[in-house]
Amino acid sequence: MMNTRRLRRKAALALALATVGVTAAACSSSTASSGTTSTSTSASASTSAQAGSGAIKKGLLVYFIPKDTQNPYEVIADTGGEKALAALGGKVVVSSGTVDTAAAQIPSIQAAIQAHANAIVIAGNDPSALCPSLNQAAKAGIKIVSFDSDVTCGSSPNHLFINQANTAQIGESEVSLLAGEIGGKGQIAILSAAASATNQNAWIVYMKQELTKYPNMKLVSTVYGNDDPATSLQVLQGLLSAYPNLRGIISPTTVGIAAAAQYLDTHKNMLPHLTLTGLGLPSLMRKYVEDGTVAKFELWDPGNLGYLAGYAAASLASGMASLTPGTTFTAGTLGSYTVLAPTPGVGPSVVLGPPTVFDKANINNYHF
C-alpha cells in the first residue's frame, strides 16, 4: 500500500498541475526535521546517453533535495530531474522536509551520504547553514549541484549552481512589470518567501536597484510568507492593513503570489487601486489572469530547471562536465550549456534562460 509520505507528494504534484488557485490551508509538520522521501528508478536507456564528448555512467544515484516536498513549484522541478535521470538510466531519490528550513534538509544530505549517492541536487533554504553537511558529502565523493536557490559555501565544497534565469534580469523585470502597470507611481511592497532564501534575497537586491529608476515608486515594506499559503495570507492581510494606500505588490514566489491572487480575487474592490505581479506557475495563476485579478506575471519552466540540474549532476558524476568556466555539457532535449565564471557571491553557474511573461494572450499555451 502506498505510504502517507508518497500520498502527500502525489497530492502536491496534483496541486501543481491543476488550474485552480492555491488553497489557504497550510500543510505543515510538527517538527522541522521531519522529511519526505520518494524514489524514481529508470530502466536503462536504449542508447548510450551523451554529455560533452563521452557517455554518462549508468546506474547513477542522485538525491534531489528541494526546499520542501509539498511546494508545487519544487515538485515540478523534482519531476524534471526524475525525467532527466530516467533518460540516463539512473535513479533519483527526492528527500527533504515539509518546511523551508536548513534543519529540515540536513537529514536528507546525511541520507545521501549513507546511501553513497553519486550527486546531490539541492535548493538551499539557507545560504550557509547547509555548507558543513554539503562539505561532508563532497569529501565522501558526492558531486554537489544547487538549483533554484544557491548555497554560498565559497570554495568548500565546490559546486555548480543551476540558475533559473539571470539574477539581475529577474529583479529588474519584476519592478519593470509593476511600474508599467501602475504608471511608475505609488507605494509598493514585496511579499517574499523565507527571509533566509538565497534566491529571493538576491532578486530583492536588484529590485531595489531598479527602483532607483522610478523616483515616484516607494518600497514601503518587505514581508515573508515562508512559502506557506496560510502564512502568506496572514502577512498579506497585515500589509494591506498597515498600508491602505498601497498601489502594488511584487511576490517573487509561486506560493506567495497564488495566495495573494486568491485573496484579491475575493476582494475585487481593491483591484482598481492595487496591482499584483511576481513569479508564479501558469497552472495556479490561469484563473486569476482570465478573470482580471492579475494582468501579468512571469516565470520559467521549473520542470526544465530540474531537468537541467539532473543532467548537470549526472555529467559531473560521470566526469563529462567540470566546474571550469567555459566548459560545456549537453542537457538532453535542452541542448548544450556553458559553465559561467564565478561572480561576487556566486560560484560556477549555468543559466537556464530568461523568464516568460504571462498574460491573457499566452497563458493558455503553458501547462506547468
Side-chain angles (χ1 to χ4, degrees), residues 237-252:
Q237 290 173 319
L239 190 65
L240 296 175
S241 176
Y243 300 96
N245 295 321
L246 202 64
R247 290 292 315 282
I249 297 173
I250 299 173
S251 187

Side-chain angles (χ1 to χ4, degrees), residues 11-93:
L13 178 58
L15 174 62
L17 298 177
T19 57
V20 297
V22 65
T23 62
C27 296
S28 62
S29 171
S30 60
T31 61
S33 61
S34 63
T36 307
T37 303
S38 66
T39 305
S40 173
T41 309
S42 73
S44 295
S46 58
T47 58
S48 179
Q50 300 291 316
S53 58
I56 299 294
K57 295 177 180 177
K58 297 295 183 181
L60 292 173
L61 174 61
V62 179
Y63 265 64
F64 265 67
I65 305 177
K67 290 182 177 179
D68 67 73
T69 58
Q70 299 185 2
N71 181 325
Y73 172 98
E74 299 285 329
V75 173
I76 294 174
D78 296 338
T79 301
E82 292 171 346
K83 180 179 178 182
L85 267 295
L88 298 171
K91 181 169 70 173
V92 160
V93 173

